[in-house]
Amino acid sequence: MRKFDFLVGLMIVLLAASPVCAGPLVIKFAHVVAVDTPKGQAAEYFKKLVEERSKGEIKVEVYPNASLYDDRAALEAITMNALQMAAPSFSKFTTFVPQLELFDLPFLFNDNDHLHKVLNGDVGQKLLKMVEKKGIVGMAYWDNGFKQMSANKPLIKPEDAAGLKFRIMSSKVLEAQFKALNANPQVLPFSEVYSALQQGVVDACENPLSNFYTQKFYEVQKDLTMTNHGYLGYMVVASKLFWKKLSDPQRELITQAMKESTVYANKLAVELDEKYLGEIKTAGTTVIDLTQEQRQAWKDKLMAIYPEFYDSIGKDLIEGALAAGK
Ligand code: LMR
C-alpha cells in the first residue's frame, strides 16, 4: 500500500513537471475586420509563423470580425491579460493615448512614403513609448490605407456633406472633421456600421477600400469619393503582463514573426487597396475622382481644424509629422 502511494505521488510530481502536460502557450489575438483585409491576413500570417517556428509550443488563436471583443473592450482586456494581442486602429486609443489621434488629422500625409517616415521615425517611436506607459506593449504599426468618403449622393464639394450623419470611430479629431463640414458625426463600433447604414441611423461613412468592400458597404452606399483625406492604420499591441511572462527565446521568436508580418501586412495593404477599388466598381458603387481644385477645397476646409488639437495631440508632434513630408 505504501509503495502504491509513493508511486502515485511520484507520478503526480512527474506529470506536473512535464512540458507535455503544461500544454501550449496560447495567444488570443482579437480584431474587428474581415479575414480578407490586410490586418486579417497579417494576423493569420503571424499565427502561421509563430506556430511553425515554436513547433507547437505557442498557439495563436485569431478572432476576426469582433467575434471575441470590439476594439474598446479589447484594449481593456489587454491591460488585464484576458486578451494577449490586438491591432486596433489609432482612433481607438483615445482614452489611453490621445496623441495617437495625430493619425486622424485630415490631409496630414501626402502619401505612403510620408506616412512611413513618420511611423518609423521619432514621432512613431515616441508614440509607442507613450502606449507602453499604459501597461500595453506597442509592437508594430500595420497599414490599412487612406480613407474615402461615401454616401448615397455624390460628395464633390465639402458643402455636399452638410447635414449628413457620418459614422465615425471614437476620435475627437474625426468629430471635429465632420463638424467642420456641418455634418453630424456619430460614434459607432465597426461591427454595427452596415446595419446603421441600412436602417438610416447614419447616411455616410469614411473607410479604406478594403473595409468598404469586405463589409459589403457597396450594398448600402451608392457613391464613393476618392477623397484620400485621412489615413487608417493600426498599432499592434500586446499585454504587458503576458509579455513579461515569456522566456527570452519566446519573446525573440514573437518579435521576429511580428517584423515579418509587418512587411507582409504593408505590402498587402497596397495590393488589396487596388484590388478592392476594382471590385467596388464592379459591385455597382459609383467611384468619383476629384480634380486637384476640388480636392483643395476639402483640404482648406478640413485642415483648418488642426489648431484645435495643438494641446491634446501636441503642436510638436503635428509639426514634426508635417515636416517629414517636405
Ligand atoms: C473602424 O472602426 O472603422 C476601423 O477601426 C476598423 C478596422 O479595424 O480597420
Side-chain angles (χ1 to χ4, degrees):
M1 202 54 184
R2 267 211 189 143
K3 195 170 167 194
F4 178 75
D5 285 350
F6 171 75
L7 283 175
V8 170
L10 186 67
M11 266 173 70
I12 289 171
V13 170
L14 286 175
L15 279 172
S18 146
V20 175
C21 175
L25 175 80
V26 176
I27 299 178
K28 288 191 176 142
F29 187 146
H31 68 80
V32 300
V33 291
V35 177
D36 279 338
T37 55
K39 178 162 63 178
Q41 288 295 300
E44 295 300 329
Y45 188 68
F46 172 75
K47 169 185 167 72
K48 177 176 168 304
L49 295 183
V50 170
E51 290 184 351
E52 271 173 18
R53 292 176 187 174
S54 71
K55 304 200 168 47
E57 189 192 305
I58 309 175
K59 188 165 180 278
V60 183
E61 292 174 358
V62 181
Y63 296 90
N65 295 310
S67 54
L68 189 61
Y69 292 107
D70 73 17
D71 282 325
R72 280 256 169 231
L75 280 170
E76 295 291 339
I78 278 207
T79 59
M80 295 178 292
N81 197 18
L83 178 70
Q84 288 68 48
M85 287 182 68
S89 57
F90 299 127
S91 328
K92 308 286 174 61
F93 286 83
T94 2
T95 50
F96 288 86
V97 179
Q99 289 86 344
L100 273 166
E101 288 191 352
L102 172 77
F103 295 96
D104 290 335
L105 285 170
F107 298 105
L108 184 67
F109 303 110
N110 306 329
D111 49 30
N112 268 340
D113 283 349
H114 179 187
L115 165 78
H116 289 149
K117 256 195 220 162
V118 174
L119 286 175
N120 302 326
D122 286 351
V123 173
Q125 287 310 308
K126 251 192 216 166
L127 290 166
L128 285 176
K129 287 202 185 103
M130 285 180 191
V131 170
E132 301 248 12
K133 286 200 187 124
K134 304 287 170 184
I136 297 173
V137 180
M139 300 187 71
Y141 293 115
W142 283 358
D143 285 345
N144 187 331
F146 283 87
K147 290 179 289 182
Q148 320 299 348
M149 287 191 204
S150 63
N152 281 314
K153 63 180 270 197
L155 300 173
I156 295 167
K157 303 185 296 299
E159 296 74 42
D160 295 331
L164 293 180
K165 286 176 275 173
F166 270 86
R167 179 268 169 169
I168 58 164
M169 298 179 275
S170 52
S171 151
K172 295 278 172 239
V173 171
L174 300 180
E175 200 180 308
Q177 170 182 276
F178 286 110
K179 284 195 172 152
L181 297 172
N182 295 318
N184 303 316
Q186 300 206 6
V187 177
L188 282 177
F190 188 61
S191 55
E192 290 175 24
V193 183
Y194 182 93
S195 59
L197 286 166
Q198 192 180 38
Q199 290 160 19
V201 174
V202 290
D203 313 299
C205 51
E206 51 163 14
N207 290 282
L209 297 174
S210 62
N211 283 355
F212 186 92
Y213 184 74
T214 53
Q215 295 300 311
K216 298 195 166 69
F217 291 161
Y218 52 79
E219 291 178 352
V220 283
Q221 296 278 266
K222 286 204 204 82
D223 300 280
L224 179 140
T225 306
M226 297 296 286
T227 43
N228 282 301
H229 63 284
Y231 171 74
L232 190 144
Y234 310 107
M235 188 188 278
V236 190
V237 290
S239 159
K240 208 170 194 171
L241 293 172
F242 154 76
W243 195 245
K244 278 201 289 202
K245 279 193 201 148
L246 297 175
S247 66
D248 285 345
Q250 285 172 331
R251 257 195 299 267
E252 268 160 38
L253 188 151
I254 292 172
T255 304
Q256 181 56 32
M258 182 51 62
K259 264 192 200 145
E260 292 171 43
S261 306
T262 301
V263 174
Y264 181 84
N266 295 353
K267 184 167 175 283
L268 201 62
V270 175
E271 289 168 11
L272 290 184
D273 205 56
E274 261 181 51
K275 174 179 164 206
Y276 286 136
L277 177 60
E279 308 265 3
I280 290 165
K281 288 180 183 167
T282 310
T285 292
T286 304
V287 175
I288 302 159
D289 286 311
L290 296 176
T291 64
Q292 231 180 340
E293 278 136 28
Q294 286 166 340
R295 193 160 181 269
Q296 190 60 44
W298 289 88
K299 263 184 153 177
D300 293 343
K301 197 82 185 172
L302 295 182
M303 289 179 81
I305 68 167
Y306 283 23
E308 277 180 55
F309 296 95
Y310 284 166
D311 284 341
S312 58
I313 295 176
K315 201 168 177 214
D316 56 330
L317 281 188
I318 299 176
E319 284 176 351
L322 283 172
K326 288 186 181 141

